[in-house]
Amino acid sequence: QQPVQSPQAVILREGEDAVINCSSSKALYSVHWYRQKHGEAPVFLMILLKGGEQKGHEKISASFNEKKQQSSLYLTASQLSYSGTYFCGTEWDSGGGADGLTFGKGTHLIIQP
Amino acid sequence: EAGVAQSPRYKIIEKRQSVAFWCNPISGHATLYWYQQILGQGPKLLIQFQNNGVVDDSQLPKDRFSAERLKGVDSTLKIQPAKLEDSAVYLCASSITSGGSTYEQYFGPGTRLTVT
């Protein structure tokens, strides 16, 4: 089953914050976050493993709530360069990692000056 | 470090024709993935290799799609015969593999296929 991302799209002014959610109906081993700009390959942002950890990457951070099987990506003080489509990719908790990812449909983020 | 290389970048074919895509992963990456990304959707895994063995091809339409990874390095994905619904971007990704742990996947620029 494909993870569900929300919202589908969001428009922000530069400097505003955003939260993108990724939910699964199946137990997850890991959640991977990627950003893709139009016509380009997805670019890796971060991985979160089951265990409910939180990670940070400059002004972009993420959390993984194992109870809810949900991950959230936080973008603070957004910059124009943050525009793009954000995808979460999930690995099921079937005994280990190193599996192919099941991606959500993506969240389109537009940052306006 | 060189990234994942793919060719061609664009391909236009007529339905029922055949087409092949090539991928060269990052040096030292044992795991290679092929994804299909239809416009407006997230990538969908087609096949996963570890070295030259297939780990997962459950979503590969085997009646028309085939893939191989000879010598555990380069890989080719073939479609024969192509259908209109195969129009998509075909992404190749690679990652290191160690003890079953999960690592980031690095994506190539993709091949945009248009079937007319």
PDB file of all heavy atoms in Angstrom, chain B residues 42-68:
ATOM      1  N   GLY B  42       4.603   9.597  -7.695  1.00  0.00           N
ATOM      2  CA  GLY B  42       5.888   9.224  -7.130  1.00  0.00           C
ATOM      3  C   GLY B  42       6.499   8.059  -7.896  1.00  0.00           C
ATOM      4  O   GLY B  42       5.801   7.346  -8.615  1.00  0.00           O
ATOM      5  N   PRO B  43       7.810   7.870  -7.765  1.00  0.00           N
ATOM      6  CA  PRO B  43       8.450   6.728  -8.431  1.00  0.00           C
ATOM      7  C   PRO B  43       7.877   5.404  -7.936  1.00  0.00           C
ATOM      8  O   PRO B  43       7.551   5.253  -6.764  1.00  0.00           O
ATOM      9  CB  PRO B  43       9.929   6.872  -8.027  1.00  0.00           C
ATOM     10  CG  PRO B  43      10.094   8.311  -7.644  1.00  0.00           C
ATOM     11  CD  PRO B  43       8.785   8.705  -7.049  1.00  0.00           C
ATOM     12  N   LYS B  44       7.786   4.435  -8.851  1.00  0.00           N
ATOM     13  CA  LYS B  44       7.300   3.094  -8.523  1.00  0.00           C
ATOM     14  C   LYS B  44       8.406   2.093  -8.804  1.00  0.00           C
ATOM     15  O   LYS B  44       8.946   2.050  -9.910  1.00  0.00           O
ATOM     16  CB  LYS B  44       6.067   2.762  -9.360  1.00  0.00           C
ATOM     17  CG  LYS B  44       5.582   1.322  -9.240  1.00  0.00           C
ATOM     18  CD  LYS B  44       4.503   1.047 -10.264  1.00  0.00           C
ATOM     19  CE  LYS B  44       4.192  -0.427 -10.377  1.00  0.00           C
ATOM     20  NZ  LYS B  44       3.228  -0.706 -11.459  1.00  0.00           N
ATOM     21  N   LEU B  45       8.755   1.284  -7.801  1.00  0.00           N
ATOM     22  CA  LEU B  45       9.833   0.319  -7.971  1.00  0.00           C
ATOM     23  C   LEU B  45       9.455  -0.751  -8.985  1.00  0.00           C
ATOM     24  O   LEU B  45       8.387  -1.359  -8.901  1.00  0.00           O
ATOM     25  CB  LEU B  45      10.146  -0.348  -6.628  1.00  0.00           C
ATOM     26  CG  LEU B  45      11.241  -1.411  -6.661  1.00  0.00           C
ATOM     27  CD1 LEU B  45      12.608  -0.767  -6.921  1.00  0.00           C
ATOM     28  CD2 LEU B  45      11.272  -2.211  -5.358  1.00  0.00           C
ATOM     29  N   LEU B  46      10.336  -0.972  -9.947  1.00  0.00           N
ATOM     30  CA  LEU B  46      10.143  -2.050 -10.909  1.00  0.00           C
ATOM     31  C   LEU B  46      10.973  -3.275 -10.533  1.00  0.00           C
ATOM     32  O   LEU B  46      10.486  -4.402 -10.520  1.00  0.00           O
ATOM     33  CB  LEU B  46      10.540  -1.589 -12.314  1.00  0.00           C
ATOM     34  CG  LEU B  46       9.663  -0.516 -12.949  1.00  0.00           C
ATOM     35  CD1 LEU B  46      10.243  -0.099 -14.301  1.00  0.00           C
ATOM     36  CD2 LEU B  46       8.234  -1.017 -13.121  1.00  0.00           C
ATOM     37  N   ILE B  47      12.243  -3.064 -10.237  1.00  0.00           N
ATOM     38  CA  ILE B  47      13.126  -4.178  -9.939  1.00  0.00           C
ATOM     39  C   ILE B  47      14.300  -3.697  -9.098  1.00  0.00           C
ATOM     40  O   ILE B  47      14.730  -2.554  -9.221  1.00  0.00           O
ATOM     41  CB  ILE B  47      13.630  -4.854 -11.242  1.00  0.00           C
ATOM     42  CG1 ILE B  47      14.374  -6.158 -10.954  1.00  0.00           C
ATOM     43  CG2 ILE B  47      14.485  -3.906 -12.066  1.00  0.00           C
ATOM     44  CD1 ILE B  47      14.614  -7.023 -12.198  1.00  0.00           C
ATOM     45  N   GLN B  48      14.776  -4.593  -8.224  1.00  0.00           N
ATOM     46  CA  GLN B  48      15.924  -4.313  -7.372  1.00  0.00           C
ATOM     47  C   GLN B  48      16.942  -5.430  -7.537  1.00  0.00           C
ATOM     48  O   GLN B  48      16.602  -6.603  -7.470  1.00  0.00           O
ATOM     49  CB  GLN B  48      15.493  -4.220  -5.906  1.00  0.00           C
ATOM     50  CG  GLN B  48      16.643  -4.028  -4.928  1.00  0.00           C
ATOM     51  CD  GLN B  48      16.218  -4.100  -3.477  1.00  0.00           C
ATOM     52  OE1 GLN B  48      15.032  -4.129  -3.173  1.00  0.00           O
ATOM     53  NE2 GLN B  48      17.178  -4.120  -2.574  1.00  0.00           N
ATOM     54  N   PHE B  49      18.191  -5.044  -7.765  1.00  0.00           N
ATOM     55  CA  PHE B  49      19.307  -5.985  -7.855  1.00  0.00           C
ATOM     56  C   PHE B  49      20.240  -5.791  -6.668  1.00  0.00           C
ATOM     57  O   PHE B  49      20.451  -4.667  -6.204  1.00  0.00           O
ATOM     58  CB  PHE B  49      20.157  -5.725  -9.113  1.00  0.00           C
ATOM     59  CG  PHE B  49      19.492  -6.020 -10.411  1.00  0.00           C
ATOM     60  CD1 PHE B  49      18.840  -5.017 -11.119  1.00  0.00           C
ATOM     61  CD2 PHE B  49      19.536  -7.296 -10.957  1.00  0.00           C
ATOM     62  CE1 PHE B  49      18.248  -5.284 -12.338  1.00  0.00           C
ATOM     63  CE2 PHE B  49      18.945  -7.571 -12.175  1.00  0.00           C
ATOM     64  CZ  PHE B  49      18.294  -6.553 -12.863  1.00  0.00           C
ATOM     65  N   GLN B  50      20.801  -6.891  -6.180  1.00  0.00           N
ATOM     66  CA  GLN B  50      21.938  -6.797  -5.283  1.00  0.00           C
ATOM     67  C   GLN B  50      23.071  -7.547  -5.970  1.00  0.00           C
ATOM     68  O   GLN B  50      22.954  -8.754  -6.215  1.00  0.00           O
ATOM     69  CB  GLN B  50      21.652  -7.380  -3.907  1.00  0.00           C
ATOM     70  CG  GLN B  50      22.837  -7.212  -2.968  1.00  0.00           C
ATOM     71  CD  GLN B  50      22.470  -7.393  -1.507  1.00  0.00           C
ATOM     72  OE1 GLN B  50      21.344  -7.106  -1.121  1.00  0.00           O
ATOM     73  NE2 GLN B  50      23.390  -7.856  -0.713  1.00  0.00           N
ATOM     74  N   ASN B  51      24.135  -6.808  -6.277  1.00  0.00           N
ATOM     75  CA  ASN B  51      25.190  -7.313  -7.166  1.00  0.00           C
ATOM     76  C   ASN B  51      24.515  -7.727  -8.480  1.00  0.00           C
ATOM     77  O   ASN B  51      23.827  -6.913  -9.081  1.00  0.00           O
ATOM     78  CB  ASN B  51      25.985  -8.413  -6.499  1.00  0.00           C
ATOM     79  CG  ASN B  51      26.707  -7.891  -5.263  1.00  0.00           C
ATOM     80  OD1 ASN B  51      27.422  -6.899  -5.332  1.00  0.00           O
ATOM     81  ND2 ASN B  51      26.502  -8.536  -4.120  1.00  0.00           N
ATOM     82  N   ASN B  52      24.630  -8.958  -8.941  1.00  0.00           N
ATOM     83  CA  ASN B  52      23.976  -9.299 -10.204  1.00  0.00           C
ATOM     84  C   ASN B  52      22.747 -10.176  -9.997  1.00  0.00           C
ATOM     85  O   ASN B  52      22.217 -10.753 -10.947  1.00  0.00           O
ATOM     86  CB  ASN B  52      24.965  -9.951 -11.165  1.00  0.00           C
ATOM     87  CG  ASN B  52      25.570 -11.209 -10.573  1.00  0.00           C
ATOM     88  OD1 ASN B  52      25.367 -11.503  -9.408  1.00  0.00           O
ATOM     89  ND2 ASN B  52      26.304 -11.950 -11.373  1.00  0.00           N
ATOM     90  N   GLY B  53      22.270 -10.279  -8.750  1.00  0.00           N
ATOM     91  CA  GLY B  53      21.084 -11.078  -8.457  1.00  0.00           C
ATOM     92  C   GLY B  53      19.860 -10.219  -8.226  1.00  0.00           C
ATOM     93  O   GLY B  53      19.953  -9.130  -7.685  1.00  0.00           O
ATOM     94  N   VAL B  54      18.688 -10.727  -8.642  1.00  0.00           N
ATOM     95  CA  VAL B  54      17.422 -10.014  -8.457  1.00  0.00           C
ATOM     96  C   VAL B  54      16.917 -10.230  -7.036  1.00  0.00           C
ATOM     97  O   VAL B  54      16.781 -11.368  -6.585  1.00  0.00           O
ATOM     98  CB  VAL B  54      16.364 -10.502  -9.467  1.00  0.00           C
ATOM     99  CG1 VAL B  54      15.019  -9.834  -9.186  1.00  0.00           C
ATOM    100  CG2 VAL B  54      16.815 -10.210 -10.891  1.00  0.00           C
ATOM    101  N   VAL B  55      16.640  -9.122  -6.330  1.00  0.00           N
ATOM    102  CA  VAL B  55      16.102  -9.191  -4.975  1.00  0.00           C
ATOM    103  C   VAL B  55      14.588  -9.089  -4.995  1.00  0.00           C
ATOM    104  O   VAL B  55      13.895  -9.795  -4.264  1.00  0.00           O
ATOM    105  CB  VAL B  55      16.692  -8.059  -4.101  1.00  0.00           C
ATOM    106  CG1 VAL B  55      16.034  -8.038  -2.730  1.00  0.00           C
ATOM    107  CG2 VAL B  55      18.202  -8.207  -3.984  1.00  0.00           C
ATOM    108  N   ASP B  56      14.065  -8.201  -5.850  1.00  0.00           N
ATOM    109  CA  ASP B  56      12.621  -7.976  -5.898  1.00  0.00           C
ATOM    110  C   ASP B  56      12.238  -7.541  -7.304  1.00  0.00           C
ATOM    111  O   ASP B  56      12.737  -6.527  -7.783  1.00  0.00           O
ATOM    112  CB  ASP B  56      12.218  -6.910  -4.878  1.00  0.00           C
ATOM    113  CG  ASP B  56      10.719  -6.624  -4.840  1.00  0.00           C
ATOM    114  OD1 ASP B  56       9.956  -7.293  -5.576  1.00  0.00           O
ATOM    115  OD2 ASP B  56      10.308  -5.727  -4.085  1.00  0.00           O
ATOM    116  N   ASP B  57      11.407  -8.295  -7.964  1.00  0.00           N
ATOM    117  CA  ASP B  57      10.868  -7.887  -9.278  1.00  0.00           C
ATOM    118  C   ASP B  57       9.361  -8.098  -9.303  1.00  0.00           C
ATOM    119  O   ASP B  57       8.768  -8.325 -10.351  1.00  0.00           O
ATOM    120  CB  ASP B  57      11.549  -8.636 -10.420  1.00  0.00           C
ATOM    121  CG  ASP B  57      11.302 -10.140 -10.377  1.00  0.00           C
ATOM    122  OD1 ASP B  57      10.639 -10.613  -9.424  1.00  0.00           O
ATOM    123  OD2 ASP B  57      11.763 -10.843 -11.290  1.00  0.00           O
ATOM    124  N   SER B  58       8.735  -8.011  -8.123  1.00  0.00           N
ATOM    125  CA  SER B  58       7.309  -8.304  -8.009  1.00  0.00           C
ATOM    126  C   SER B  58       6.430  -7.323  -8.780  1.00  0.00           C
ATOM    127  O   SER B  58       5.298  -7.648  -9.132  1.00  0.00           O
ATOM    128  CB  SER B  58       6.899  -8.320  -6.534  1.00  0.00           C
ATOM    129  OG  SER B  58       7.194  -7.079  -5.920  1.00  0.00           O
ATOM    130  N   GLN B  59       6.906  -6.107  -9.044  1.00  0.00           N
ATOM    131  CA  GLN B  59       6.091  -5.129  -9.759  1.00  0.00           C
ATOM    132  C   GLN B  59       6.553  -4.924 -11.200  1.00  0.00           C
ATOM    133  O   GLN B  59       6.097  -3.993 -11.865  1.00  0.00           O
ATOM    134  CB  GLN B  59       6.088  -3.783  -9.000  1.00  0.00           C
ATOM    135  CG  GLN B  59       5.500  -3.898  -7.598  1.00  0.00           C
ATOM    136  CD  GLN B  59       5.305  -2.549  -6.953  1.00  0.00           C
ATOM    137  OE1 GLN B  59       4.230  -1.959  -7.046  1.00  0.00           O
ATOM    138  NE2 GLN B  59       6.334  -2.044  -6.295  1.00  0.00           N
ATOM    139  N   LEU B  60       7.411  -5.772 -11.666  1.00  0.00           N
ATOM    140  CA  LEU B  60       7.881  -5.675 -13.051  1.00  0.00           C
ATOM    141  C   LEU B  60       6.918  -6.425 -13.970  1.00  0.00           C
ATOM    142  O   LEU B  60       6.672  -7.620 -13.765  1.00  0.00           O
ATOM    143  CB  LEU B  60       9.272  -6.296 -13.172  1.00  0.00           C
ATOM    144  CG  LEU B  60       9.992  -6.145 -14.519  1.00  0.00           C
ATOM    145  CD1 LEU B  60      10.461  -4.713 -14.694  1.00  0.00           C
ATOM    146  CD2 LEU B  60      11.160  -7.121 -14.611  1.00  0.00           C
ATOM    147  N   PRO B  61       6.342  -5.759 -14.966  1.00  0.00           N
ATOM    148  CA  PRO B  61       5.443  -6.456 -15.920  1.00  0.00           C
ATOM    149  C   PRO B  61       6.275  -7.375 -16.819  1.00  0.00           C
ATOM    150  O   PRO B  61       6.746  -6.979 -17.880  1.00  0.00           O
ATOM    151  CB  PRO B  61       4.808  -5.301 -16.707  1.00  0.00           C
ATOM    152  CG  PRO B  61       5.111  -4.061 -15.945  1.00  0.00           C
ATOM    153  CD  PRO B  61       6.402  -4.318 -15.229  1.00  0.00           C
ATOM    154  N   LYS B  62       6.416  -8.594 -16.385  1.00  0.00           N
ATOM    155  CA  LYS B  62       7.394  -9.482 -17.006  1.00  0.00           C
ATOM    156  C   LYS B  62       7.024  -9.931 -18.420  1.00  0.00           C
ATOM    157  O   LYS B  62       7.859 -10.496 -19.138  1.00  0.00           O
ATOM    158  CB  LYS B  62       7.616 -10.703 -16.109  1.00  0.00           C
ATOM    159  CG  LYS B  62       8.179 -10.354 -14.735  1.00  0.00           C
ATOM    160  CD  LYS B  62       8.380 -11.586 -13.890  1.00  0.00           C
ATOM    161  CE  LYS B  62       8.750 -11.219 -12.461  1.00  0.00           C
ATOM    162  NZ  LYS B  62       7.686 -10.473 -11.759  1.00  0.00           N
ATOM    163  N   ASP B  63       5.770  -9.681 -18.823  1.00  0.00           N
ATOM    164  CA  ASP B  63       5.402 -10.058 -20.187  1.00  0.00           C
ATOM    165  C   ASP B  63       6.031  -9.112 -21.208  1.00  0.00           C
ATOM    166  O   ASP B  63       6.166  -9.456 -22.384  1.00  0.00           O
ATOM    167  CB  ASP B  63       3.877 -10.072 -20.348  1.00  0.00           C
ATOM    168  CG  ASP B  63       3.239  -8.732 -20.016  1.00  0.00           C
ATOM    169  OD1 ASP B  63       3.838  -7.973 -19.211  1.00  0.00           O
ATOM    170  OD2 ASP B  63       2.153  -8.449 -20.545  1.00  0.00           O
ATOM    171  N   ARG B  64       6.460  -7.916 -20.749  1.00  0.00           N
ATOM    172  CA  ARG B  64       7.018  -6.962 -21.696  1.00  0.00           C
ATOM    173  C   ARG B  64       8.316  -6.313 -21.208  1.00  0.00           C
ATOM    174  O   ARG B  64       9.082  -5.773 -22.000  1.00  0.00           O
ATOM    175  CB  ARG B  64       6.005  -5.863 -21.997  1.00  0.00           C
ATOM    176  CG  ARG B  64       4.728  -6.383 -22.647  1.00  0.00           C
ATOM    177  CD  ARG B  64       3.770  -5.263 -23.013  1.00  0.00           C
ATOM    178  NE  ARG B  64       3.369  -4.464 -21.857  1.00  0.00           N
ATOM    179  CZ  ARG B  64       3.807  -3.254 -21.594  1.00  0.00           C
ATOM    180  NH1 ARG B  64       4.682  -2.677 -22.410  1.00  0.00           N
ATOM    181  NH2 ARG B  64       3.375  -2.598 -20.541  1.00  0.00           N
ATOM    182  N   PHE B  65       8.540  -6.316 -19.919  1.00  0.00           N
ATOM    183  CA  PHE B  65       9.731  -5.691 -19.349  1.00  0.00           C
ATOM    184  C   PHE B  65      10.746  -6.774 -18.953  1.00  0.00           C
ATOM    185  O   PHE B  65      10.359  -7.824 -18.433  1.00  0.00           O
ATOM    186  CB  PHE B  65       9.387  -4.880 -18.096  1.00  0.00           C
ATOM    187  CG  PHE B  65       8.669  -3.583 -18.349  1.00  0.00           C
ATOM    188  CD1 PHE B  65       7.401  -3.559 -18.907  1.00  0.00           C
ATOM    189  CD2 PHE B  65       9.255  -2.381 -17.998  1.00  0.00           C
ATOM    190  CE1 PHE B  65       6.740  -2.368 -19.123  1.00  0.00           C
ATOM    191  CE2 PHE B  65       8.602  -1.176 -18.202  1.00  0.00           C
ATOM    192  CZ  PHE B  65       7.339  -1.170 -18.764  1.00  0.00           C
ATOM    193  N   SER B  66      12.017  -6.463 -19.172  1.00  0.00           N
ATOM    194  CA  SER B  66      13.086  -7.329 -18.690  1.00  0.00           C
ATOM    195  C   SER B  66      14.259  -6.456 -18.259  1.00  0.00           C
ATOM    196  O   SER B  66      14.422  -5.324 -18.733  1.00  0.00           O
ATOM    197  CB  SER B  66      13.532  -8.320 -19.767  1.00  0.00           C
ATOM    198  OG  SER B  66      14.090  -7.628 -20.872  1.00  0.00           O
ATOM    199  N   ALA B  67      15.047  -6.966 -17.338  1.00  0.00           N
ATOM    200  CA  ALA B  67      16.206  -6.208 -16.869  1.00  0.00           C
ATOM    201  C   ALA B  67      17.316  -7.182 -16.516  1.00  0.00           C
ATOM    202  O   ALA B  67      17.064  -8.322 -16.126  1.00  0.00           O
ATOM    203  CB  ALA B  67      15.840  -5.363 -15.644  1.00  0.00           C
ATOM    204  N   GLU B  68      18.535  -6.709 -16.685  1.00  0.00           N
ATOM    205  CA  GLU B  68      19.668  -7.519 -16.299  1.00  0.00           C
ATOM    206  C   GLU B  68      20.778  -6.639 -15.765  1.00  0.00           C
ATOM    207  O   GLU B  68      20.842  -5.440 -16.061  1.00  0.00           O
ATOM    208  CB  GLU B  68      20.184  -8.351 -17.480  1.00  0.00           C
ATOM    209  CG  GLU B  68      20.627  -7.551 -18.690  1.00  0.00           C
ATOM    210  CD  GLU B  68      21.086  -8.442 -19.826  1.00  0.00           C
ATOM    211  OE1 GLU B  68      20.876  -9.671 -19.768  1.00  0.00           O
ATOM    212  OE2 GLU B  68      21.660  -7.900 -20.786  1.00  0.00           O
TER     213      GLU B  68
END
